[in-house]
Amino acid sequence: MPSLFALHRIKLLSLLVISNLGLILHLSLGDVKSVAAWAWLDIAGEGGSAALVLIWICLLLKSRPAGRVTDLLFLGLACLFFSLWMDVTDEFVQMADSVRWDAWLESGPMPVGFVLLTFGIYHWHREQLAISAQMRNRERLYREHRQFDKLTPLGGAAYLKTQIELTIKQAAIDRQPLSLIMLDMDSFNMINRDYGQKEGDRVLQVVTQLVLLNLREHDLLCRLAGDRFVVVLPNTLESQAVIVATELSMAIAHLAYRTAGQGERLILSATTVAAMARQESAERLLERLNMTMARAKQTPLARSA
């Protein structure tokens, strides 16, 4: 792993050179004070502050990637360090009363450094907000991705219940009907038994695409469990949902499906039931659909609840 000096050698060398130039300038034009004249409290305060700022610079360069924000923060801290370093140097070197530039070296970089730090911290703040928003979106996508079926891929049972709850509330606000269709493949266990689970998975994938092609853009198809699917139909009366359910059954029955291995023709069929949402929860609505599906499986003529 590259060292701090290898990554930021230009920045660190520039700060070292400028700081030493200031020191050499003081030593060449001033006189070194005697030890008795040293103000130890000022030396400790200003020197300690300079050392802390230098530590901040090292931590900044070690923890942040290169870029505009890092450059602004570095320049701001470098100005603070240089100003404090000149203050420390002034404690050891006595300049003539006619010299005024040393005061500029001590005080001038300080406000410039604070301005640069302010800009750097402002852009750092915006950067953190963007990162936080990205992390929230990533977490939301990951959370929603876990609710999707990996095989089809459609929303799973948890995602379906969440969407039903939201759609029921929206339908109540808009005063529009909401209907659901449940679709269950007939004799699907026989396909898995006779042709293998891989072929059964392929059947589910093909049926998913077929159903999606026969739905509207704002309809929602989810895989409830196994070979059972649910379609959420906003702004749809129960009588309309029954028609859609019948069309989906016919589309599956007329599907010319052949197995991937031997190319054998499989006759597919599905039982469908429809129900319109009432003032009930998603759990209760799905329970009502499941009960209707159970009756429909026993009595093929029953198709609505």
Side-chain angles (χ1 to χ4, degrees), residues 206-272:
V206 172
V207 169
T208 295
Q209 296 302 317
L210 178 64
V211 173
L212 288 173
L213 289 173
N214 286 273
L215 295 178
R216 299 168 298 182
E217 184 177 352
H218 60 275
D219 296 335
L220 174 66
L221 174 65
C222 292
R223 185 185 179 193
L224 182 61
D227 59 329
R228 183 163 293 188
F229 301 84
V230 173
V231 184
V232 181
L233 303 169
N235 304 331
T236 304
L237 294 170
E238 183 173 339
S239 57
Q240 297 171 315
V242 171
I243 295 175
V244 176
T246 303
E247 292 174 346
L248 293 178
S249 294
M250 293 176 60
I252 294 173
H254 289 86
L255 177 63
Y257 180 87
R258 295 186 179 278
T259 62
Q262 302 298 324
E264 300 174 71
R265 174 71 185 274
L266 293 185
I267 304 301
L268 302 178
S269 64
T271 302
T272 57

Side-chain angles (χ1 to χ4, degrees), residues 37-177:
W38 290 0
W40 291 103
L41 185 60
D42 291 342
I43 293 173
E46 296 165 358
S49 299
L52 286 176
V53 172
L54 189 59
I55 293 174
W56 294 350
I57 290 174
C58 293
L59 293 175
L60 169 72
L61 297 179
K62 188 175 181 61
S63 61
R64 279 194 54 84
R68 182 180 63 171
V69 176
T70 302
D71 291 341
L72 285 172
L73 293 173
F74 169 77
L75 289 174
L77 291 173
C79 288
L80 296 186
F81 173 78
F82 182 78
S83 183
L84 291 168
W85 178 245
M86 291 298 97
D87 279 342
V88 175
T89 302
D90 190 57
E91 300 299 329
F92 298 98
V93 180
Q94 179 67 47
M95 304 298 296
D97 294 337
S98 59
V99 175
R100 292 290 181 266
W101 53 262
D102 63 327
W104 284 98
L105 290 181
E106 295 173 14
S107 304
M110 185 74 71
V112 175
F114 279 119
V115 171
L116 292 173
L117 275 176
T118 301
F119 277 106
I121 292 173
Y122 169 73
H123 288 291
W124 191 7
H125 170 68
R126 295 187 60 182
E127 182 184 84
Q128 291 301 311
L129 290 178
I131 293 174
S132 298
Q134 185 179 15
M135 292 300 294
R136 286 196 300 270
N137 290 335
R138 182 178 298 178
E139 180 183 359
R140 177 181 58 80
L141 289 174
Y142 174 74
R143 186 171 59 249
E144 290 185 356
H145 179 73
R146 292 178 61 189
Q147 297 180 357
F148 277 72
D149 175 48
K150 295 180 180 179
L151 175 64
T152 39
L154 299 171
Y159 181 78
L160 172 64
K161 292 176 184 178
T162 301
Q163 294 304 311
I164 292 177
E165 292 287 358
L166 295 175
T167 311
I168 288 176
K169 292 179 182 178
Q170 189 61 46
I173 295 174
D174 298 338
R175 296 185 178 181
Q176 294 293 330

